[in-house]
Amino acid sequence: MGDLTNSDYYAKNQRNDGSSNHEGGFGVSVMELRELMELRGSEAVVKIQEDYGDMDGLCQRLKTSPTEGLTGDVTDLDKRKEVYGENLIPPKKPKTFLQLVWEALQDVTLIILEVAALISLGLSFYQPPGGDSGESCGTAAAGAEDEGEAEAGWIEGAAILLSVVCVVLVTAFNDWSKEKQFRGLQNRIEQEQKFQVVRGAQVIQLPVADIVVGDIAQIKYGDLLPADGVLIQGNDLKIDESSLTGESDHVKKAADRDPMLLSGTHVMEGSGRMLVTAVGVNSQTGIIFTLLGSGEPGEEEKKEKKVKKQDGAAAMEMQPLKSAEGGETEEKEKKKANVSKKEKSVLQGKLTKLAVQIGKAGLVMSAITVIILVLYFAVDNFVLQKRPWLTECTPIYVQYFVKFFIIGVTVLVVAVPEGLPLAVTISLAYSVKKMMKDNNLVRHLDACETMGNATTICSDKTGTLTTNRMTAVACYVGDVHYKEIPDPGLLSVKSLDILVNAISLNSAYTTKILPATKEGGLPIQVGNKTECGLLGLVLDLKRDYQPVRNQIPEEKLYKVYTFNSVRKSMSTVIKLPDGSFRMYSKGASEIVLKKCTKILNQEGEPRVFRPRDKDEMVKKVIEPMACDGLRTICVAFRDFPGDPEPLWDNENDILNELTAVCVVGIEDPVRPEVPSAIVRCQRAGITVRMVTGDNINTARAIAIKCGIIHPGEDFLCIDGKEFNRRIRNEKGEVEQERMDKVWPKLRVLARSSPTDKHTLVKGIIDSCLTDQRQVVAVTGDGTNDGPALKKADVGFAMGIAGTDVAKEASDIILTDDNFSSIVKAVMWGRNVYDSISKFLQFQLTVNVVAVIVAFTGACITQDSPLKAVQMLWVNLIMDTFASLALATEPPTEALLMRKPYGRNKPLISSTMTKNILGHGIYQLVIIFSLLFVGEQIFDIDSGRHAPLHSPPSEHYTIIFNTFVLMQLFNEINARKIHGERNVFDGIFRNPIFCSIVFGTFAIQIVIVQFGGKPFSCTPLDLEKWGWCTFLGLGELVWGQVIATIPNSKLRFLRGAGQLTKKNEMPGDEDMNEDNEEIDHAERELRRGQVLWFRGLNRIQTQIDVVNTFKSGSSYQGQLRRQSSTTSQNQDIRVVNAFRSSLYEGLEKPDSRPSIHNFMTHPEFRIEDTTPHIPLIDDTDLEEDPALRMIPQSQTGSQPQSPNKNNNAVDSGINLTIDTTSKSAASSSPASPLHSLETSL
């Protein structure tokens, strides 16, 4: 809707552009504002001065006040929305239900089925000419005994078509509801974003969509700008415009230099106020979006044409800028986003691969089935019974072939587990919906499931582990350390005045303490919580900060150095009445105290503050406060002469020679639920690490309170400096080896910069110390946490304290900023994984049984015991309903009692394999017994060898019914996958499961009793139903039998479903190519392994050479990877000795020289330190620079090396032909093999 009004608006607007009677009585039109926003820097300042006089002039034309904002009058706001558009970018239209149906129809197997069904339909209406031809066509026509039966031939084809329609509708409905949920989620995320706006002189929080042109918005560090605007007043404002321009440098903004602020850019530093001049489709981001075609294409074109016709020059200027830069950068951004977030989640990768493998197997089975059926029919009719092929019989034969083909296709339909991806989606969508209630707003679906595998959580301290409600509880003023807030009478008036002014003025004016809303409640803290703690101190000292602020309003502050992660302090300069300047400063105590040269004494007079005093202060005041878990803040000031005015941009000189006023200890209590949540994490095998900007003592104290560290344990608590010293080499580069020595024991990283956080996360993710790659979750709230949040496997942003930038970079938003919500996310993540496993266990059992039954049945009795339509029904229960039932199991606490699965754990565990095989055997035994001796047991007619179009038999109905009931009861078994006994545990907590099981049972009764010809069923009496149900219930009993068999007895299961270690993986190379989601770090073979391969290769080559010499034949062709069979014992002894020495070397990382002893030449060591060495195959030999380093001369005359018989091989060290490739390396003159030959 917004889009339409906008485009109509353009039309109206174009007519009155440039004329004086601007629409709606405002003094400036949309196009003028759009043109203004095209300009940058000084051009924009000049344009504003030329057209409007100054910013106040522009505000007057937009009928707003730069200090008080809009009145907030509803009619005025509506009028602005009508004239300048709303702050919405119209979303793409969702796919309609019909489009989704069409997409579902694209499924290949369904298309094949439809075609077969249509052919079958067409042929069923064909009657062979002549009455007696029935005889001549042989067994083919024997079935059509009575007319009614022949008539009913069309039913099967129609039934197949109908069931295909069913499957398609169900799939489309699932997709549609999924899409709807996503839209809801998207809206929820958009509603979450609020922005501070001044209306009627009051600062209020507004949803971004309600912002209109003419609003005065307050911008601060960490905001994502929601609209375009012009800066009215700013303090030290720096903007990251990379999302629009692609330039990563931060742009300084000032009202007199470059006042243009664009939507979609991030505030990286400072604060200010801006006048909103363009919203929605007219803002810079909006224009780019419309060019990328997120709006309605037709209207967009109309719009562009109009713009071009009316205002050629402006349009021409506008188009190239947007399309060239904007479009490309958007694309770049999109690509970047795609690269950084792996497209497929690990689980989906595994599942897709599995589905493809099963599908291939199914295809082979179905092809074989069809071929056997056709051959059997042909041989039986034309060879054994020697019948001629009659032309009038052709359609009947074709009908037979079509029937065989349909059987084949149904085998394929049952074999292809199209329910797998569906199950993942349902499970994830369900979890995401439920996680909302647990305060987790999931932005990327796969994050939910990755969280289940998390092994490490790097958490912030403030606000996540603590309540983020700061209160000042101790202070050091006038040479006295007060353990609690002192009575104001004890302090000198001078100190008190300076302290009150320093705190009131040198903090964001948006930070306030409001009175409690309910009786006995705590006062409400608004804005930066640390500043709130300091303002609370002012109130505790019986003073008020508001009058001080009223005296010097924000516009009169001379210069503000805002807080950022580098400065770790904030300073504000004010001009005093006598023309001189005073700067107030506050920040992390150890940092501010370093810059202090004086301190106020008891009388409030400055005295000298020597380095010795500083050390004493740290020991006696700051450390005791920090050890109590208090955050220490130092408040200081400095006076400057008015003439000459200092150079304010020279920060290092300005922020120096300060006079300390006081040190305040601020308490931020640990959230009551955090210690138990951390214990649950540790039980679940997840390490919690605290990464904070606070002082190390404060951090350690809080970590002990939370239970992250326990006294007496062996762990590391270090600060950023020490961390960097330990992980960087002389050149200042981070080394993974050094990192690997630090991170396993690291529990607390204090005084860390954002880069430290990013380095730590990257280091843990890239580490190869453990068999499984670590999966890291990170929490962050600040703008500077963006890189770490993006790098982590799962990034959590804080919903309340978090900045927009952090939310943008994250995967999950914690709406209550609470650590215990992360534990809930872990539970849900593991639950998703388990749900998928449950579904897999169920699905694979059905697949295996149905495929084998259809296949063997077809081969032995020329007809599948389960008919096409029945198969489709089984497929529907199995895929769609079961995925709904099993994927919506709620999580239990038991999920947190086990270790995380890790990234390369096979999907199908040995317990699951045992269950699948066990239940498969039970079902096959029952079904084959029924198939071959069923008619004797129940004393009924045999259904085997039934002719074409014969009526459905009771025999086959019993088989079908038993089969479905066994699946139903097995679905209950599938609820447990870790070998638990009680499969009914918590079954009533999942109403969806119960309703699906009962619903399926009801439909099954209807199908059997009333399905008739289409379902190939005849009604059964009660006794037979009893037997079918009894055989089905047997599944539950059999499940208990399987559970008693210990896994250890079934050795062969260990390999099942499991790709073992890296080097034994079949087709390792191609697997890596398909699976981009295997991390680069995982691909790097460890150096130890590489050395191992090299060593073995050298020894084996040596053995080969020795043997070849012994046999006297030419050894050129004999240089093979595998050792020759005639190797002498002593050679093998050499290998064994070598192996043991190598293992010794590999066990102890410090004994690396023992490996290096084999490498007598320095050049090999150089090559060895490169972090990843591929197993060189002969194609790389020419390009590898390290190989060129072996001089030709050296190959001829070897220097004496300690182990003489290794000389030859020493030069051949690079002979690391991949274990899998058996070809010998080409012995070109440059290759190491050549050198090996010459030295020999």
Side-chain angles (χ1 to χ4, degrees):
M1 181 59 209
D3 197 64
L4 228 149
T5 49
N6 278 332
S7 61
D8 295 350
Y9 172 65
Y10 276 121
K12 289 185 226 159
N13 180 57
Q14 245 48 56
R15 286 194 291 281
N16 57 32
D17 194 8
S19 57
S20 56
N21 60 338
H22 287 298
E23 181 152 337
F26 296 110
V28 59
S29 72
V30 172
M31 278 326 282
E32 286 171 21
L33 288 174
R34 262 178 85 152
E35 278 167 44
L36 175 63
M37 294 317 293
E38 294 296 323
L39 303 174
R40 301 282 177 275
S42 50
E43 289 178 4
V45 181
V46 173
K47 172 92 171 154
I48 291 173
Q49 282 167 350
E50 282 174 4
D51 289 8
Y52 310 107
D54 59 0
M55 277 309 299
D56 289 348
L58 182 56
C59 288
Q60 277 162 6
R61 294 241 195 141
L62 284 171
K63 296 189 177 169
T64 180
S65 147
T67 48
E68 295 182 2
L70 298 176
T71 53
D73 173 46
V74 182
T75 49
D76 176 48
L77 295 178
D78 289 346
K79 194 166 164 195
R80 286 175 192 273
K81 283 183 182 167
E82 187 191 331
V83 175
Y84 296 111
E86 293 189 56
N87 197 16
L88 289 173
I89 292 173
K92 275 188 182 149
K93 282 213 172 95
K95 286 181 178 161
T96 59
F97 188 68
L98 288 175
Q99 279 169 309
L100 292 170
V101 168
W102 177 243
E103 276 178 19
L105 277 171
Q106 308 300 310
D107 188 9
V108 185
T109 43
L110 287 181
I111 293 175
I112 298 175
L113 260 186
E114 287 154 25
V115 172
L118 287 172
I119 297 175
S120 156
L121 255 180
L123 290 174
S124 64
F125 293 119
Y126 173 83
Q127 284 283 304
D132 57 354
S133 64
E135 285 309 301
S136 52
C137 293
T139 50
E145 286 114 7
D146 53 43
E147 282 306 291
E149 276 314 315
E151 307 287 78
W154 60 273
I155 291 182
E156 186 171 29
I160 292 179
L161 284 181
L162 247 174
S163 34
V164 166
V165 169
C166 255
V167 173
V168 166
L169 286 177
V170 170
T171 316
F173 179 74
N174 271 327
D175 286 347
W176 178 76
S177 55
K178 184 179 83 186
E179 175 102 4
K180 204 170 106 193
Q181 264 177 350
F182 274 121
R183 296 253 158 205
L185 184 66
Q186 223 35 51
N187 294 343
R188 171 83 190 264
I189 290 174
E190 279 160 18
Q191 284 159 13
E192 286 284 312
Q193 198 193 351
K194 294 223 174 21
F195 211 78
Q196 286 194 327
V197 176
V198 182
R199 284 207 180 155
Q202 288 293 318
V203 178
I204 56 169
Q205 291 262 350
L206 268 188
V208 170
D210 294 347
I211 292 176
V212 293
V213 171
D215 260 324
I216 305 293
Q218 291 209 335
I219 55 176
K220 60 181 187 308
Y221 152 86
D223 283 342
L224 175 70
L225 297 184
D228 290 1
V230 184
L231 188 64
I232 300 177
Q233 173 264 327
N235 306 322
D236 200 18
L237 196 59
K238 285 190 187 152
I239 306 278
D240 171 13
E241 293 190 345
S242 59
S243 56
L244 286 180
T245 60
E247 296 296 322
S248 56
D249 296 341
H250 297 171
V251 187
K252 277 192 173 172
K253 297 282 180 185
D256 51 356
R257 285 203 307 277
D258 181 1
M260 294 318 202
L261 300 172
L262 306 175
S263 60
T265 57
H266 295 129
V267 183
M268 299 313 275
E269 259 183 57
S271 60
R273 289 208 315 278
M274 77 166 182
L275 166 69
V276 177
T277 54
V279 292
V281 221
N282 300 315
S283 65
Q284 295 297 302
T285 315
I287 294 171
I288 288 175
F289 267 113
T290 40
L291 283 171
L292 285 174
S294 96
E296 193 56 43
E299 266 147 22
E300 236 45 66
E301 282 155 28
K302 281 183 225 155
K303 237 181 259 183
E304 299 306 331
K305 276 182 199 147
K306 278 178 191 147
V307 173
K308 280 202 176 80
K309 249 185 265 163
Q310 293 287 342
D311 194 347
M316 286 324 292
E317 268 172 37
M318 190 176 92
Q319 292 320 86
L321 187 148
K322 288 297 150 292
S323 49
E325 282 183 29
E328 272 172 36
T329 52
E330 276 290 317
E331 289 304 307
K332 268 187 221 155
E333 285 293 304
K334 281 200 173 146
K335 279 199 188 107
K336 250 192 255 166
N338 285 358
V339 173
S340 66
K341 290 286 162 208
K342 298 168 187 124
E343 274 300 82
K344 259 193 199 148
S345 67
V346 184
L347 183 60
Q348 267 169 326
K350 285 181 181 175
L351 282 176
T352 315
K353 220 165 136 229
L354 186 72
V356 168
Q357 286 167 347
I358 298 175
K360 281 180 186 162
L363 195 62
V364 172
M365 290 291 272
S366 63
I368 297 176
T369 313
V370 175
I371 293 167
I372 290 183
L373 284 171
V374 171
L375 283 177
Y376 193 99
F377 176 77
V379 169
D380 186 42
N381 265 343
F382 305 127
V383 179
L384 300 180
Q385 304 188 15
K386 299 193 174 57
R387 288 212 178 82
W389 180 294
L390 301 172
T391 42
E392 65 268 26
C393 289
T394 307
I396 290 187
Y397 294 144
V398 172
Q399 229 171 319
Y400 257 100
F401 292 147
V402 168
K403 177 183 157 186
F404 298 151
F405 182 63
I406 288 178
I407 291 173
V409 175
T410 24
V411 172
L412 179 64
V413 170
V414 175
V416 173
E418 65 272 30
L420 278 185
L422 182 73
V424 180
T425 319
I426 290 180
S427 184
L428 287 175
Y430 170 78
S431 304
V432 166
K433 207 166 151 191
K434 292 281 188 228
M435 281 170 81
M436 289 260 203
K437 295 194 179 107
D438 286 340
N439 304 311
N440 283 302
L441 183 64
V442 182
R443 291 183 70 240
H444 298 130
L445 258 198
D446 51 357
C448 164
E449 150 241 325
T450 313
M451 203 48 219
N453 292 337
T455 52
T456 289
I457 298 174
C458 295
S459 172
D460 264 359
K461 176 180 79 72
T462 313
T464 314
L465 301 171
T466 58
T467 55
N468 201 11
R469 191 189 163 78
M470 308 277 189
T471 30
V473 291
C475 63
Y476 177 90
V477 192
D479 294 342
V480 186
H481 183 182
Y482 298 98
K483 290 287 165 72
E484 54 234 15
I485 303 299
D487 188 77
L490 298 173
L491 308 180
S492 72
V493 182
K494 268 188 186 171
S495 304
L496 195 53
D497 282 347
I498 291 180
L499 179 59
V500 170
N501 279 348
I503 291 175
S504 308
L505 299 174
N506 184 28
S507 57
Y509 277 31
T510 47
T511 305
K512 301 188 184 70
I513 293 187
L514 305 175
T517 44
K518 51 179 184 286
E519 286 279 313
L522 293 166
I524 298 163
Q525 298 187 339
V526 182
N528 182 313
K529 298 297 191 262
T530 312
E531 289 180 352
C532 286
L534 291 171
L535 291 177
L537 172 68
V538 171
L539 298 175
D540 289 341
L541 292 171
K542 313 282 186 285
R543 290 294 193 86
D544 192 1
Y545 59 87
Q546 204 51 55
V548 183
R549 285 182 173 181
N550 294 347
Q551 210 176 343
I552 304 182
E554 200 167 5
E555 300 80 68
K556 292 209 181 138
L557 299 179
Y558 198 80
K559 169 102 181 118
V560 179
Y561 299 94
T562 50
F563 181 89
N564 66 24
S565 55
V566 181
R567 290 189 189 124
K568 293 234 189 261
S569 67
M570 170 182 179
S571 311
T572 303
V573 181
I574 57 167
K575 198 167 189 174
L576 298 174
D578 61 1
S580 63
F581 297 99
R582 172 169 283 183
M583 177 179 76
Y584 294 115
S585 214
K586 69 166 193 288
S589 52
E590 55 262 54
I591 289 167
V592 176
L593 280 176
K594 268 192 203 130
K595 299 175 178 170
C596 290
T597 51
K598 298 192 180 115
I599 188 165
L600 295 185
N601 61 16
Q602 274 185 309
E603 285 73 53
E605 298 299 331
R607 68 169 171 83
V608 179
F609 189 52
R610 296 184 299 275
R612 202 175 60 225
D613 303 338
K614 279 180 206 169
D615 297 339
E616 194 176 332
M617 176 102 157
V618 167
K619 278 204 190 73
K620 297 250 174 91
V621 180
I622 294 175
E623 283 187 359
M625 279 189 188
C627 290
D628 292 339
L630 303 184
R631 169 183 270 191
T632 54
I633 303 282
C634 178
V635 180
F637 74 100
R638 178 182 177 184
D639 288 325
F640 295 97
D643 190 46
E645 188 173 330
L647 289 168
W648 298 116
D649 286 342
N650 193 344
E651 232 180 274
N652 294 342
D653 296 348
I654 301 283
L655 295 178
N656 228 328
E657 299 180 21
L658 307 175
T659 305
V661 181
C662 82
V663 173
V664 184
I666 296 181
E667 183 183 43
D668 183 7
V670 172
R671 285 175 181 265
E673 61 276 15
V674 162
S676 63
I678 285 179
V679 169
R680 284 162 72 197
C681 274
Q682 289 162 342
R683 249 207 328 250
I686 301 169
T687 314
V688 182
R689 296 183 164 84
M690 182 203 284
V691 183
T692 174
D694 247 343
N695 172 319
I696 182 144
N697 295 325
T698 313
R700 188 185 288 120
I702 298 279
I704 290 174
K705 282 184 190 169
C706 293
I708 291 178
I709 52 181
H710 305 286
E713 274 183 3
D714 179 23
F715 53 76
L716 276 180
C717 289
I718 53 178
D719 59 6
K721 254 195 197 134
E722 171 67 10
F723 175 67
N724 279 310
R725 194 186 62 69
R726 291 192 184 197
I727 62 167
R728 292 178 191 275
N729 57 18
E730 297 71 52
K731 292 183 197 153
E733 295 156 347
V734 178
E735 277 188 7
Q736 190 60 44
E737 261 180 63
R738 291 171 180 238
M739 179 61 113
D740 286 346
K741 286 182 188 146
V742 175
W743 74 260
K745 286 189 178 174
L746 182 69
R747 290 293 175 274
V748 176
L749 180 56
R751 281 276 176 259
S752 66
S753 67
T755 32
D756 295 341
K757 196 172 191 175
H758 181 255
T759 311
L760 174 67
V761 171
K762 186 175 181 306
I764 297 180
I765 287 179
D766 293 348
S767 168
C768 295
L769 276 187
T770 45
D771 319 340
Q772 303 283 5
R773 143 154 143 50
Q774 294 280 315
V775 178
V776 183
V778 170
T779 68
D781 53 3
T783 305
N784 42 27
D785 291 329
L789 287 170
K790 264 204 153 44
K791 177 69 192 167
D793 295 289
V794 182
F796 285 92
M798 302 296 141
I800 304 168
T803 57
D804 299 337
V805 183
K807 290 178 189 173
E808 202 59 29
S810 70
D811 301 295
I812 298 179
I813 297 173
L814 294 177
T815 49
D816 64 345
D817 288 15
N818 193 336
F819 184 82
S820 56
S821 302
I822 300 179
V823 184
K824 292 260 177 54
V826 173
M827 251 165 76
W828 277 107
R830 293 187 172 189
N831 191 49
V832 168
Y833 210 94
D834 278 8
S835 299
I836 304 305
S837 299
K838 290 171 189 174
F839 175 65
L840 255 178
Q841 177 176 309
F842 175 69
Q843 165 109 40
L844 291 178
T845 314
V846 187
N847 274 14
V848 168
V849 175
V851 169
I852 292 179
V853 166
F855 175 70
T856 44
C859 297
I860 298 172
T861 67
Q862 282 74 70
D863 183 9
S864 164
L866 299 171
K867 300 289 181 287
V869 182
Q870 296 175 352
M871 290 277 217
L872 283 171
W873 162 236
V874 170
N875 201 37
L876 197 69
I877 319 177
M878 206 162 83
D879 279 351
T880 316
F881 295 161
S883 61
L884 254 178
L886 292 169
T888 51
E889 289 271 315
T892 56
E893 277 290 325
L895 290 168
L896 292 177
M897 297 297 188
R898 60 171 175 75
K899 297 275 175 280
Y901 280 147
R903 287 176 85 87
N904 21 15
K905 173 189 179 294
L907 265 180
I908 304 167
S909 64
S910 49
T911 316
M912 284 166 63
T913 316
K914 180 178 76 176
N915 289 341
I916 292 169
L917 293 177
H919 289 296
I921 291 167
Y922 172 82
Q923 295 185 10
L924 286 172
V925 167
I926 298 283
I927 286 184
F928 282 134
S929 313
L930 287 175
L931 180 60
F932 295 114
V933 290
E935 71 272 28
Q936 292 151 28
I937 299 172
F938 289 109
D939 191 25
I940 44 178
D941 295 336
S942 166
R944 295 196 298 281
H945 302 294
L948 200 65
H949 301 320
S950 56
S953 64
E954 249 187 310
H955 183 191
Y956 274 22
T957 309
I958 290 177
I959 294 178
F960 165 61
N961 200 18
T962 310
F963 180 68
V964 170
L965 291 177
M966 286 196 294
Q967 302 324 326
L968 260 188
F969 289 107
N970 193 27
E971 197 167 334
I972 299 173
N973 275 331
R975 291 183 66 246
K976 302 290 175 206
I977 48 171
H978 298 299
E980 295 93 332
R981 288 259 170 205
N982 182 3
V983 288
F984 292 102
D985 179 34
I987 194 164
F988 294 113
R989 278 214 310 274
N990 186 358
I992 301 181
F993 184 87
C994 300
S995 50
I996 283 181
V997 169
F998 288 123
T1000 314
F1001 192 63
I1003 301 175
Q1004 178 64 16
I1005 294 177
V1006 174
I1007 288 178
V1008 171
Q1009 297 306 94
F1010 311 104
K1013 184 75 187 158
F1015 279 98
S1016 322
C1017 289
T1018 49
L1020 299 176
D1021 56 30
L1022 261 180
E1023 185 199 356
K1024 296 195 179 69
W1025 264 104
W1027 279 107
C1028 292
T1029 317
F1030 171 74
L1031 291 172
L1033 276 167
E1035 269 289 357
L1036 294 175
V1037 182
W1038 184 247
Q1040 296 301 317
V1041 175
I1042 295 177
T1044 32
I1045 304 173
N1047 288 6
S1048 50
K1049 287 277 190 299
L1050 306 168
R1051 285 281 161 80
F1052 67 92
L1053 289 183
R1054 291 201 188 148
Q1058 191 164 345
L1059 285 168
T1060 42
K1061 285 280 170 294
K1062 273 277 149 70
N1063 4 332
E1064 301 155 18
M1065 272 197 190
D1068 194 15
E1069 306 318 301
D1070 3 35
M1071 204 190 83
N1072 279 347
E1073 280 156 28
D1074 317 333
N1075 276 28
E1076 269 98 34
E1077 65 265 7
I1078 292 185
D1079 211 287
H1080 175 65
E1082 291 179 37
R1083 267 187 231 170
E1084 296 177 359
L1085 265 167
R1086 312 238 181 98
R1087 268 175 43 192
Q1089 279 174 323
V1090 173
L1091 292 172
W1092 174 217
F1093 276 126
R1094 285 185 181 178
L1096 272 189
N1097 282 322
R1098 284 158 57 200
I1099 289 289
Q1100 289 185 320
T1101 313
Q1102 186 186 3
I1103 293 174
D1104 284 346
V1105 172
V1106 172
N1107 288 327
T1108 329
F1109 269 124
K1110 280 186 184 157
S1111 59
S1113 62
S1114 96
Y1115 63 89
Q1116 190 76 33
Q1118 291 274 345
L1119 269 171
R1120 293 273 184 274
R1121 264 297 288 102
Q1122 72 272 43
S1123 58
S1124 95
T1125 44
T1126 58
S1127 54
Q1128 300 282 314
N1129 287 346
Q1130 67 193 57
D1131 298 322
I1132 293 171
R1133 240 176 280 138
V1134 175
V1135 179
N1136 289 339
F1138 178 83
R1139 274 188 190 168
S1140 58
S1141 75
L1142 217 155
Y1143 276 135
E1144 278 160 26
L1146 284 182
E1147 300 305 350
K1148 308 186 281 291
D1150 306 330
S1151 63
R1152 190 158 283 132
S1154 67
I1155 299 179
H1156 282 295
N1157 290 346
F1158 284 96
M1159 308 179 184
T1160 38
H1161 314 304
E1163 46 285 285
F1164 302 127
R1165 273 186 227 169
I1166 297 169
E1167 194 221 309
D1168 210 292
T1169 49
T1170 55
H1172 48 201
I1173 301 166
L1175 295 180
I1176 303 171
D1177 56 359
D1178 37 23
T1179 49
D1180 295 342
L1181 293 177
E1182 286 82 40
E1183 293 118 45
D1184 198 326
L1187 302 184
R1188 291 201 193 122
M1189 293 172 56
I1190 306 175
Q1192 282 296 304
S1193 62
Q1194 185 188 306
T1195 54
S1197 59
Q1198 284 271 345
Q1200 282 297 311
S1201 111
N1203 41 353
K1204 289 206 175 68
N1205 69 334
N1206 260 9
N1207 266 353
V1209 188
D1210 261 335
S1211 60
I1213 187 166
N1214 288 306
L1215 195 72
T1216 41
I1217 303 159
D1218 192 336
T1219 357
T1220 48
S1221 72
K1222 295 273 189 275
S1223 63
S1226 58
S1227 100
S1228 62
S1231 83
L1233 264 182
H1234 178 76
S1235 60
L1236 186 109
E1237 289 161 33
T1238 42
S1239 63
L1240 277 168

